[in-house]
């Protein structure tokens, strides 16, 4: 029997096969580090007198905690400052390359890895961050780990792990205009639920996935964890190679040829069997938005908030009731009637250059809605520079939005970028959990196109809502 | 890590599904660089509500949390485990756990017992009838007992063995160090290197 992509990458990294229910010992090719989940791991090494086994397979950046304004000044919050300083001290002590705030390669860890060409097909990638699944877009086995595991990888460059089960998510057909990778993954999560992927690695397949850019694939793999799966993957193809070739750390010359020859063997074999399969018709998709407090609580933008009583599962019903109370929304409300106070364009889900271009294409030449605060946060310092070279910063500023420096920012509000209690935000990020973007804040997850149109109108909107002559097919009327 | 066999103590019913790690500990508390002292941060937002279960005098000094399905989803923050542990919890019972949370728990000596959803409902009903009742989670027998109800729970054999023996993962792995070194000699040169070539 053939093997799946996930099984091939896994098998090529087994240092020691587990027996009698013991996990396999898996080699880790690339370890990404940031300031929030690493300090206690470095402390652990110090206490045990252990070095970092492979500093040359480890790289750190500052992202969760960093300000997106006045980045040359000292960080105001002393606790944040201590955490950043701790990372700098740890990286210096253990010989780890660090891209600090202000560096041209600083940014969100999941934007920086691919941008440097460190993320590539057929490797294993870990980071103390659940959105490490992003890197699976290249055909890597990439997953988030806890701080104990961060320490384990620093010390041994391996992890004891049991193989994941495999789930195929097949998406076929052409996406309609205005429907994006973000809508695909939100629809997947709504379909299988926030726990549906637990224990699985998801492989996204089908013509829709193949036609997506690397940025789109990263958006999809990024949110695998929101379906409960630790990892999501896409088989590498020419799109992957075109994105990777020539990047600073991509293989060169004979190494490149050898790598591509190997990468071409990674796709799931025709006779491989998945443990579970899910199908989605892309032609039926419309922009998707969330109404609740977990990423599975979403509907089409053209739809209304469901009645909690319509959920068969009593726990889902209770969750929906709690969510509507927290969100201050009533069942039956049309999504498009929901007014927002803020729009956040950023996060490891949607802050790459293509995302910023999509956002800019909608707002260009327009003014933001009165009373709506709009924040645009590039995923990395390089993305920011690239956007500025294309004039996107000017479009954003003329629109009346804030053009910020790179970081995780209002996705989780560890820095000063937060919602005030009760504020409602259309956000291109990945989690609409209670208080995620600031205590009492209310989040609707949306694509960059919907975020942009919402920023123009002040209510949840799609780009075609901005022009009455536009084709309304995507509204599904 | 200390050896763990049986957890016994006050059982707290957390009658909610989809309790993500952002709820267990909000991001504002992740700025700390220590591994202890997170008890004040546990369920921080929900504890502001006087009716929240942890504010009920019947549930003081608890040891076992009995939660709805999909407990510990979302962010990888191990701080969620540290906060539960610092508050005094030694076991969490749920029909389904977030994968990363469950892995983190196993590393930190927090027992995660997976039971049927109907069993959780039955335990909640028993606790409602007798708030403050003790629960016992027996890792040797793989059972959870609340009052008169005893049910089996699932945990993978390897995690169970490590918890029972109190074994440290890194120490275990380093026994295999020669195999790691051998594996490294066969790695292809195209694989990524973060440091510039010498």
């Amino acid at each position: 029997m053939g093997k799946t992509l996930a099984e091939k990458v896994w098998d090529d990294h087994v240092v020691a096969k587990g027996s009698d229910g013991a996990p396999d010992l898996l080699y880790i090719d690339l370890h990404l580090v940031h300031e929030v989940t690493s300090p206690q791991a470095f402390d652990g090494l110090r206490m045990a007198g252990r070095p970092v086994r492979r500093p040359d397979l480890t790289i750190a950046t500052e992202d969760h905690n960093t300000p997106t304004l006045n980045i040359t000044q000292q960080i105001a919050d002393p606790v944040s400052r201590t955490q950043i300083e701790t990372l700098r001290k740890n990286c210096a002590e253990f010989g780890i390359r660090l891209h600090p705030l202000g560096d041209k390669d600083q940014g969100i860890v999941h934007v920086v890895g691919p941008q440097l060409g460190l993320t590539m097909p057929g490797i294993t990638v870990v980071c103390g961050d659940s959105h490490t699944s992003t890197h699976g877009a290249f055909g890597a086995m990439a997953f988030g780990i806890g701080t104990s595991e961060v320490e384990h990888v620093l010390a041994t460059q391996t992890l004891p792990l049991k193989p994941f089960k495999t789930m195929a998510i097949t998406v076929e057909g052409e996406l309609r205009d205005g429907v994006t990778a973000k809508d695909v993954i939100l629809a997947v999560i709504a379909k299988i639920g926030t726990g549906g992927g637990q224990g699985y690695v998801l492989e996204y397949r089908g013509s829709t996935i193949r036609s997506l850019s690397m940025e789109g694939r990263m958006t999809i793999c990024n949110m695998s964890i929101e379906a409960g799966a630790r990892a999501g993957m896409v088989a590498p193809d020419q799109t992957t190679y075109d994105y990777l070739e020539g990047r600073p750390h991509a293989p060169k010359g004979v190494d490149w040829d050898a790598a591509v020859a190997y990468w071409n063997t990674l796709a799931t074999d025709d006779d491989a069997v998945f443990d579970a399969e899910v199908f989605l018709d892309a032609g039926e998709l419309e922009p998707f938005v969330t109404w609740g407090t977990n990423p599975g609580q979403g509907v089409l933008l053209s739809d209304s908030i469901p009645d909690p009583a319509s959920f068969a599962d009593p726990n889902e019903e209770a969750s929906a009731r709690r969510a509507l109370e927290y969100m201050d929304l009533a069942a039956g409300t049309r999504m498009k009637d929901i007014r927002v106070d803020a729009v956040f364009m950023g996060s490891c889900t949607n802050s790459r250059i293509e995302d910023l271009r999509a956002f800019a294409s909608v707002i260009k030449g327009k003014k933001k809605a009165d009373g709506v605060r709009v924040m645009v946060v590039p995923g990395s310092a390089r993305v920011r520079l690239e956007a500025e070279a294309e004039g996107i910063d000017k479009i954003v500023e003329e629109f009346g939005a804030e053009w910020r420096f790179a970081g995780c920012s209002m996705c989780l509000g560890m820095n000063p970028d937060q919602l005030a209690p009760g504020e409602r935000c259309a956000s291109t990020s990945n989690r609409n959990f209670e208080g995620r973007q600031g205590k009492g804040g209310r989040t609707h997850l949306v694509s960059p196109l919907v975020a942009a149109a919402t920023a123009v109108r002040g209510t949840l909107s799609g780009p075609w809502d901005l022009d009455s002559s536009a084709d309304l097919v995507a509204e599904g009327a | 890590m200390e050896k763990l066999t049986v957890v016994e103590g006050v059982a707290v019913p957390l009658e909610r599904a989809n309790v993500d790690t952002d709820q267990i500990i909000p991001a504002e508390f992740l700025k700390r660089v220590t591994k202890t002292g997170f008890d004040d941060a546990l369920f921080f937002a929900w504890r502001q509500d006087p009716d929240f279960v942890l504010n009920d005098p019947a549930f003081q000094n608890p040891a076992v949390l009995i939660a709805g399905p999909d407990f510990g989803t979302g962010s990888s923050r191990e701080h969620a485990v540290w906060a539960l542990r610092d508050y005094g919890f030694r076991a969490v019972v749920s029909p389904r756990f977030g994968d990363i949370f469950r892995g983190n728990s196993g590393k930190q000596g927090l027992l995660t017992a997976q039971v049927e959803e109907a069993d959780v409902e039955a335990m909640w009903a028993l606790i409602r009838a007798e708030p403050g009742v003790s629960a016992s989670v027996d890792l040797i027998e793989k059972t959870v007992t609340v009052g008169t109800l005893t049910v089996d729970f699932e945990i993978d054999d390897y995690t169970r063995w490590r918890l029972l023996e109190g074994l440290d993962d890194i120490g275990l792995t380093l026994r295999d160090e020669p195999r790691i070194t051998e594996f490294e000699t066969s790695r292809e040169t195209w694989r990524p290197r973060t440091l510039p070539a010498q």
Side-chain angles (χ1 to χ4, degrees):
Chain A
M1 194 176 71
K3 292 204 275 188
T4 63
L5 164 66
E7 288 161 346
K8 290 181 190 185
V9 178
W10 184 282
D11 289 351
D12 280 350
H13 289 84
V14 173
V15 172
K17 192 91 191 138
S19 54
D20 296 334
D24 293 343
L25 189 62
L26 202 69
Y27 199 80
I28 303 303
D29 286 315
L30 179 63
H31 186 188
L32 308 167
V33 173
H34 63 84
E35 74 275 17
V36 176
T37 53
S38 65
Q40 297 87 352
F42 284 111
D43 269 350
L45 291 184
R46 259 190 297 269
M47 283 192 290
R50 291 174 176 139
V52 172
R53 182 179 179 88
R54 295 297 298 263
D56 61 329
L57 306 184
T58 312
I59 187 167
T61 183
E62 300 167 358
D63 57 3
H64 281 64
N65 229 325
T66 50
T68 56
L69 280 178
N70 306 321
I71 61 165
T72 53
Q73 294 173 13
Q74 193 186 51
I75 297 174
D77 175 359
V79 192
S80 290
R81 195 164 69 229
T82 300
Q83 197 166 58
I84 295 286
E85 283 167 358
T86 304
L87 180 70
R88 293 178 186 177
K89 192 167 61 68
N90 284 331
C91 286
E93 180 181 339
F94 289 94
I96 291 168
R97 170 174 163 193
L98 167 69
H99 292 294
L101 188 61
D103 184 89
K104 66 184 187 315
D105 282 314
Q106 177 268 341
I108 305 177
V109 68
H110 309 308
V111 178
V112 169
Q115 180 178 280
L116 286 170
L118 285 165
T119 303
M120 55 184 80
I123 65 168
T124 47
V125 185
V126 298
C127 174
D129 189 286
S130 60
H131 291 112
T132 309
S133 56
T134 310
H135 307 265
F138 290 78
M141 170 71 72
F143 48 90
I145 57 179
T147 297
S148 294
E149 291 171 313
V150 171
E151 183 182 339
H152 196 286
V153 176
L154 288 172
T156 70
Q157 204 58 34
T158 64
L159 271 182
L161 274 177
K162 291 209 175 156
F164 302 120
K165 290 180 287 181
T166 57
M167 186 187 292
I169 310 268
T170 305
V171 191
E172 294 284 359
E174 201 169 325
L175 292 173
R176 300 183 205 180
D177 271 356
V179 184
T180 66
K182 183 65 165 283
D183 305 306
V184 172
I185 188 61
L186 285 173
V188 167
I189 298 163
K191 186 173 175 117
I192 71 174
T194 55
Q198 273 166 25
Y200 289 95
V201 50
L202 311 182
E203 183 184 327
Y204 302 97
R205 305 159 57 81
S207 59
T208 315
I209 305 297
R210 294 261 75 87
S211 68
L212 288 174
S213 66
M214 287 315 293
E215 283 89 344
R217 295 176 189 184
M218 283 190 256
T219 298
I220 287 186
C221 288
N222 171 275
M223 290 189 72
S224 300
I225 184 68
E226 266 56 71
R230 238 170 139 170
M233 299 175 88
V234 175
D237 58 13
Q238 197 56 45
T239 303
T240 320
Y241 308 152
D242 290 345
Y243 180 95
L244 191 56
E245 193 169 12
R247 290 188 182 265
H249 287 267
K252 311 269 186 302
V254 289
D255 269 348
W256 173 261
D257 297 338
V260 170
Y262 170 69
W263 296 341
N264 280 332
T265 68
L266 290 175
T268 292
D269 296 327
D270 289 341
D271 58 342
V273 178
F274 290 93
D275 297 308
E277 294 206 53
V278 172
F279 294 90
L280 213 67
D281 181 352
E284 287 178 357
L285 288 179
E286 295 174 33
F288 223 84
V289 292
T290 61
W291 50 267
T293 55
N294 74 57
Q297 292 175 323
V299 290
L300 301 177
L301 174 61
S302 59
D303 231 326
S304 301
I305 298 174
D307 185 342
S310 67
F311 290 96
D313 180 337
N315 269 312
E316 291 299 320
E317 180 185 345
S319 269
R321 284 190 201 287
R322 276 193 53 82
L324 289 184
E325 188 184 331
Y326 180 84
M327 295 294 287
D328 193 26
L329 290 170
T333 305
R334 280 166 32 101
M335 293 309 294
K336 288 193 176 181
D337 290 340
I338 295 173
R339 186 159 287 284
V340 303
D341 305 297
V343 171
F344 172 62
M345 171 66 215
S347 87
C348 58
T349 311
N350 283 124
S351 63
R352 297 175 181 83
I353 188 68
E354 186 180 277
D355 301 313
L356 297 183
R357 283 179 192 142
F359 186 86
S361 73
V362 174
I363 64 164
K364 189 171 184 180
K366 298 188 174 68
K367 291 286 176 201
K368 72 174 181 71
D370 285 342
V372 177
R373 172 183 173 208
V374 183
M375 197 187 282
V376 181
V377 185
S380 70
R382 278 196 192 275
V383 168
R384 184 180 146 102
L385 289 172
E386 197 175 352
E388 287 178 352
E390 295 178 16
I392 289 175
D393 58 323
K394 293 286 175 297
I395 295 171
V396 166
E397 279 165 0
E398 280 161 18
F399 179 64
E402 300 169 47
W403 179 245
R404 296 293 189 101
F405 287 90
C408 299
S409 181
M410 204 198 266
C411 174
L412 81 170
M414 277 193 77
N415 74 351
D417 307 343
Q418 296 177 11
L419 294 179
E423 271 190 327
R424 185 181 301 284
C425 181
S427 176
T428 63
S429 58
N430 40 57
R431 286 181 178 145
N432 50 343
F433 297 153
E434 290 180 26
R436 172 80 177 179
Q437 296 192 286
K439 214 176 293 176
R442 298 172 176 136
T443 303
H444 296 275
L445 300 178
V446 301
S447 72
L449 291 175
V450 171
T454 302
V456 175
R457 283 166 54 99
T459 48
L460 291 177
S461 306
W464 50 85
D465 293 322
L466 304 180
D467 177 2
S468 55
S469 67
D471 185 1
L472 291 176
V473 169
E475 282 216 50
Chain B
M1 205 159 69
E2 267 178 56
K3 292 185 183 185
L4 192 156
T5 50
V6 180
V7 173
E8 232 169 340
V10 171
V12 176
L14 186 63
E15 299 190 39
R16 302 180 192 209
N18 285 307
V19 176
D20 57 76
T21 55
D22 272 72
Q23 305 317 313
I24 300 174
I25 182 167
E28 62 186 288
F29 297 101
L30 310 188
K31 297 177 187 179
R32 299 176 183 171
V33 295
T34 57
K35 214 170 179 172
T36 55
F38 289 94
D39 48 325
D40 58 331
L42 181 69
F43 297 122
F44 184 81
W46 291 349
R47 271 160 80 184
Q48 309 311 304
D49 172 3
D51 293 331
F52 182 60
V53 65
L54 288 185
N55 294 326
D56 185 331
F59 300 116
Q60 298 314 295
N61 304 313
V64 180
L65 187 68
I66 300 177
D70 298 314
F71 184 85
T73 53
S75 159
S76 65
R77 57 190 72 169
E78 197 162 305
H79 311 66
V81 176
W82 304 335
L84 284 162
R85 188 196 56 195
D86 289 351
Y87 194 85
F89 287 107
R90 290 291 172 270
V92 183
V93 179
S94 169
R96 278 197 305 272
F97 293 95
D99 283 346
I100 304 179
F101 172 82
R102 200 168 196 202
N104 291 342
S105 297
K107 315 279 182 201
Q108 291 293 321
L110 180 71
L111 173 53
T112 51
Q114 188 170 337
V115 301
E116 296 293 323
E117 199 162 335
D119 291 335
V120 163
E121 309 262 353
M123 289 180 210
W124 287 346
L126 279 167
I127 300 170
R128 262 185 243 121
E130 194 187 341
V133 65
S134 260
S136 167
V137 186
D138 186 329
L139 186 55
I140 298 170
E141 299 297 327
K142 293 205 282 183
T143 56
V144 183
T145 301
V146 179
T148 53
L149 174 73
T150 297
V151 303
D152 294 332
F153 72 79
E154 291 288 325
I155 188 166
D156 76 90
D157 291 341
Y158 181 74
T159 304
R160 175 171 171 267
W161 168 69
R162 276 185 38 256
L163 289 171
L164 286 171
E165 300 293 327
L167 293 171
D168 153 52
D169 255 357
I170 297 179
L172 279 177
T173 296
L174 286 175
R175 291 187 199 165
D176 265 336
E177 217 222 323
R179 297 178 75 167
I180 301 174
T181 304
E182 189 194 330
F183 183 92
E184 285 175 330
T185 59
S186 64
R187 290 181 76 241
E188 299 90 337
T189 50
W190 57 260
R191 291 187 185 271
R193 289 283 159 96
T194 57
L195 299 179
Q198 297 292 310

